[in-house]
Every structure is written in structure tokens, then in C-alpha cells.
Amino acid sequence: MNGTRTVKLGALALATALLAGGAWLAQSGLKRLAFERQQAAQLRQSLDSARSLMPEVEQRERLMQSLKQVAQQVDRLGFDPAQWGERKLRRTTGPATRVEAAQFLGELGRGGAGSIFVADLFEVATLSPETGLFQMPQPGDKGLTLGASGTLYFQTVSVAPPPRTMP
């Protein structure tokens, strides 16, 4: 009888050891599962963040392509930035006569093809509601409001036009 009791106790000890090992493996698996779930949540958050940035990345990529095209066109036209200068211009919006407006606009265009005005703000309007910008002033015309700000680019070196080639 003692032998069967020993076998039963041995089997019980073995079952207890297997149960303890299984419990330890289950606990280890649960810890690993919790860690993996936390990593998955962080990765999903990173993925969502990356997806939200995609429109900006695509916009910057389009901008870079546009800049490359402009640079290629500038090279093709033989434009040399070292031959151009720039000046910031600003005329606060305020009353002006038609003569003053014509003089101001004439000054902007005086450089011809050798100057370019890039406006950040340009405003011209009549003060009289019955008078148009492109009509002869009527009696009682109150003049204009004129305002502009921007950058005037101008050539600092005169450049001869490229020779024409005959086909």
C-alpha cells in the first residue's frame, strides 16, 4: 500500500508542479499580451499621426516639384539672380488725385521689362460712387484712394536680348 500511496503522492506532486508551471506560463503570457497591446496602441497612434501629416507632406512635395519646374524654367531663360536687386515699396492707403495715381503707377512700370513689381497689397478705388476708375472724372469727383505694398525687383546689369535663331 505504501507503494501506491507513494505513486499517488508522486502523481499529485507532478500534477501540482505542472499546474504551477502552467500558471506561471499563463501569467507570463498575460503580461506579454498586455505589453503587446500597449505597443499596438502606440503604433496605432503613431500611424494616425503619420496619416494626419500626409496631406502636408503631399503639399510640400507638390511645392518642391513646382519649385523645381520654376528653377528649370529660370535656367532655360538664362535668369541670373546676381543681376537683380529688390526694394520694398509701401504706400499707405489714402486719398490721391488721379494725377498722383497715374504718376505712382507710371513709376512702378518705368523699368519696363527690367523691373517687376510683386504686390502684397494693391488697392485703388474711387471715392465717388457715381464715378468709375476708367471714366473721365465728373464734376464733384472726390478723387481716389490708393495704396500699395510689395517688392520691386529690378535689373542691376543691363542684359542684351538673346540673338534670334532662324529655323
Side-chain angles (χ1 to χ4, degrees), residues 83-140:
Q83 296 177 353
W84 287 76
E86 68 179 67
R87 292 287 181 268
K88 297 287 185 186
L89 295 178
R90 180 180 170 152
R91 184 187 193 286
T92 56
T93 303
T97 66
R98 290 180 183 262
V99 172
E100 291 170 341
Q103 286 174 342
F104 178 76
L105 296 173
E107 289 293 322
L108 288 180
R110 182 177 295 207
S115 69
I116 302 167
F117 179 66
V118 179
D120 296 323
L121 167 84
F122 185 81
E123 182 179 341
V124 63
T126 62
L127 293 174
S128 303
E130 62 277 350
T131 306
L133 284 175
F134 305 105
Q135 298 172 345
M136 291 295 293
Q138 302 295 320

Side-chain angles (χ1 to χ4, degrees), residues 10-159:
L12 182 60
L14 180 62
T16 304
L18 287 174
L19 184 61
W24 180 78
L25 285 174
Q27 183 183 15
S28 170
L30 286 174
K31 284 183 181 178
R32 185 171 176 198
L33 177 62
F35 176 75
E36 295 292 334
R37 283 183 175 166
Q38 183 182 10
Q39 272 193 322
Q42 288 174 348
L43 289 174
R44 269 193 296 279
Q45 186 178 11
S46 296
L47 178 62
D48 290 343
S49 177
R51 282 184 178 155
S52 71
L53 292 176
M54 280 305 292
E56 183 179 345
V57 169
E58 290 169 349
Q59 181 182 8
R60 287 182 182 201
E61 187 175 322
R62 286 190 301 270
L63 178 61
M64 290 302 297
Q65 290 297 326
S66 176
L67 288 173
K68 285 180 185 177
Q69 289 173 352
V70 167
Q72 289 171 349
Q73 188 174 11
V74 164
D75 286 342
R76 191 179 68 235
L77 294 173
F79 178 78
D80 182 6
Q83 296 177 353
W84 287 76
E86 68 179 67
R87 292 287 181 268
K88 297 287 185 186
L89 295 178
R90 180 180 170 152
R91 184 187 193 286
T92 56
T93 303
T97 66
R98 290 180 183 262
V99 172
E100 291 170 341
Q103 286 174 342
F104 178 76
L105 296 173
E107 289 293 322
L108 288 180
R110 182 177 295 207
S115 69
I116 302 167
F117 179 66
V118 179
D120 296 323
L121 167 84
F122 185 81
E123 182 179 341
V124 63
T126 62
L127 293 174
S128 303
E130 62 277 350
T131 306
L133 284 175
F134 305 105
Q135 298 172 345
M136 291 295 293
Q138 302 295 320
D141 182 28
K142 298 175 185 172
L144 307 170
T145 59
L146 176 66
S149 68
T151 305
L152 178 67
Y153 296 94
F154 55 92
Q155 284 185 320
T156 56
V157 178
S158 67
V159 178

